[in-house]
């Protein structure tokens, strides 16, 4: 979209994602916002957008996920690295690999409900990722011999044949299934790997609590303006009432978490920047500077100027 002069920033804003996301590849985002973004993009850019975006040579643009794959010597090692890393990459996706006679079967599914358009585009992305991992082995055709994914509700699957081969068939259970040939999995890459590097696995879901998830995504949301509980509850796939009830069970609340983050950001900027107090108040979502002053007195018993 950027290359065609289209407003990708506006499209990010439309789904509640920060405009700076393109330059912050490691920044956690709500899964439902991300899937909504790519589904919306497919409506104007074409249903094969994921296969066009994720090419066999674009791993370097996939942040840490790309690096753990590039460091492998064979596709099997690359998939092993990817499987170990995936809990850090996403909290609501599941990948399993089942060995079989001469092949291995990979299955991917989302742990949240997605419509068929989003499923099609997102599973197409995973299939393109697998295709890219299998490439550069020197084989004439290293694509998976069997791919089963959710059809696009309008365009079906025909548009994927040129990327994934003729073996693409429809899935009916929302699960992406691919067969991987052992001969390809164990074939060494033609390129030199970046070397085997250890990487720490810190699951993105943290302790699995809603509070941890909220604290992970809230900074990016507040960067765009005031945080509204209805919008964030929708990103969590639940109602505002259920959202609040779960937070209460974890001994916190939405307003407490917003207040906690505002306090953290306000103190950091007052101590480490020369920004005007009024600008800080506006950036944190306060309608007036006096509102930040009252909040600062509540937090520290001091006015903002004494925190500098």
């Amino acid at each position: 979209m950027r290359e065609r002069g289209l407003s990708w920033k506006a499209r990010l804003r439309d789904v509640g994602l920060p405009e700076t996301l393109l330059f912050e590849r490691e920044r956690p985002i709500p899964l439902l916002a991300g899937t909504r973004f790519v589904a919306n993009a497919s409506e104007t850019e074409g249903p094969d957008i994921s296969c066009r975006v994720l090419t066999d040579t674009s791993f370097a643009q996939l942040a840490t996920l790309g690096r753990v794959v590039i460091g492998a010597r064979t596709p099997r090692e690359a998939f092993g690295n990817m499987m170990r890393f995936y809990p850090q990459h996403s909290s609501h996706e599941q990948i399993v690999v089942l060995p079989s006679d001469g092949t291995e079967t990979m299955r991917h599914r989302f742990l949240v409900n997605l419509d068929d358009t989003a499923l099609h585009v997102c599973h197409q992305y995973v299939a393109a990722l697998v295709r890219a991992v299998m490439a550069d082995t020197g084989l004439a055709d290293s694509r998976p011999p069997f791919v089963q994914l959710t059809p696009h509700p309008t365009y079906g699957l025909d548009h994927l044949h040129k990327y994934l081969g003729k073996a693409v068939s429809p899935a009916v259970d929302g699960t992406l299934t691919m067969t991987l040939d052992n001969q390809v999995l164990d074939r060494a890459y033609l390129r030199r790997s970046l070397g085997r590097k250890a990487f720490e696995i810190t699951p993105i879901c943290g302790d699995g609590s809603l509070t941890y998830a909220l604290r992970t995504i809230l900074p990016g949301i507040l960067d765009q303006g005031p945080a509204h509980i209805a919008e964030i509850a929708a990103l969590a796939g639940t109602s505002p009432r259920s959202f609040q009830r779960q937070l209460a069970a974890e001994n916190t609340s939405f307003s407490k978490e917003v207040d906690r983050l505002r306090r953290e950001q306000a103190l950091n900027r007052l101590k480490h920047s020369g920004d005007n107090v009024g600008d800080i108040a506006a950036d944190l979502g306060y309608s007036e500077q006096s509102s930040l002053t009252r909040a600062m007195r509540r937090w520290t018993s001091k006015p903002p100027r004494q925190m500098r």
Side-chain angles (χ1 to χ4, degrees):
M1 287 187 284
R2 180 175 59 178
E3 292 173 355
R4 294 175 55 193
L6 300 177
S7 180
W8 49 270
K9 289 184 178 181
R11 298 195 183 191
L12 286 171
R13 289 196 304 268
D14 287 344
V15 298
L17 293 174
E19 297 178 4
T20 56
L21 191 59
L22 187 64
F23 311 104
E24 299 175 293
R25 296 172 185 170
E26 303 286 1
R27 186 172 195 165
I29 64 171
L31 175 64
L32 292 181
T35 59
R36 193 178 306 150
F37 172 78
V38 294
N40 290 350
S42 73
E43 293 179 0
T44 55
E45 305 306 311
D48 61 344
I49 183 172
S50 294
C51 282
R52 297 197 336 260
V53 168
L54 208 161
T55 67
D56 293 349
T57 58
S58 61
F59 272 119
Q61 301 175 29
L62 296 182
T64 304
L65 179 61
R67 291 196 295 275
V68 301
V69 170
I70 289 175
R73 295 166 297 190
T74 65
R76 188 183 299 279
E77 186 177 313
F79 283 125
N81 290 348
M82 190 171 73
M83 294 282 290
R84 292 194 300 275
F85 175 76
Y86 224 79
Q88 183 174 322
H89 176 68
S90 178
S91 61
H92 286 75
E93 296 177 63
Q94 183 182 72
I95 295 182
V96 296
V97 176
L98 305 173
S100 184
D101 185 22
T103 65
E104 296 203 0
T105 299
M106 177 180 289
R107 292 197 175 102
H108 174 280
R109 70 186 184 97
F110 289 96
L111 304 181
V112 294
N113 293 325
L114 300 179
D115 63 38
D116 284 351
T117 299
L119 265 180
H120 176 77
V121 178
C122 293
H123 272 162
Q124 176 191 148
Y125 182 90
V126 177
L129 177 64
V130 171
R131 177 201 66 191
V133 170
M134 305 287 274
D136 199 28
T137 56
L139 297 175
D141 190 356
S142 58
R143 293 176 296 186
F146 175 85
V147 179
Q148 191 175 69
L149 56 77
T150 302
H152 190 281
T154 302
Y155 300 102
L157 295 171
D158 288 350
H159 54 284
L160 299 183
H161 289 162
K162 65 179 179 180
Y163 305 104
L164 303 175
K166 296 292 184 180
V168 182
S169 60
V172 296
D173 60 355
T175 300
L176 169 67
T177 303
M178 291 168 288
T179 297
L180 312 176
D181 190 288
N182 281 336
Q183 289 186 341
V184 181
L185 287 171
D186 294 322
R187 190 178 180 93
Y189 287 127
L190 296 178
R191 58 176 167 75
R192 294 181 61 184
S193 73
L194 299 182
R196 302 181 68 181
K197 296 182 179 180
F199 50 91
E200 294 185 5
I201 300 300
T202 304
I204 196 172
C205 61
D207 59 10
S209 67
L210 181 61
T211 302
Y212 185 95
L214 179 60
R215 289 177 179 178
T216 299
I217 67 169
L218 198 54
I221 293 173
L222 285 181
D223 282 352
Q224 305 305 302
H228 302 288
I229 187 170
E231 296 175 358
I232 296 180
L235 292 175
T238 188
S239 68
R241 184 174 182 179
S242 296
F243 191 79
Q244 285 281 46
R245 189 163 52 242
Q246 179 61 41
L247 288 175
E250 297 174 4
N251 298 313
T252 188
S253 68
F254 181 70
S255 59
K256 285 181 181 179
E257 291 305 316
V258 172
D259 190 63
R260 183 197 65 81
L261 181 59
R262 279 176 163 175
R263 178 182 186 277
E264 180 181 294
Q265 293 183 336
L267 288 173
N268 182 63
R269 290 184 63 178
L270 287 169
K271 291 178 180 179
H272 303 292
S273 80
D275 295 343
N276 180 277
V277 175
D279 292 339
I280 295 175
D283 290 345
L284 294 179
Y286 291 105
S287 57
E288 298 177 348
Q289 179 177 323
S290 58
S291 298
L292 175 59
T293 300
R294 288 193 295 272
M296 190 61 63
R297 288 185 180 278
R298 173 167 53 83
W299 295 328
T300 66
S301 300
K302 297 177 182 179
R305 58 184 174 79
Q306 290 188 14
M307 304 306 299
R308 316 207 88 152

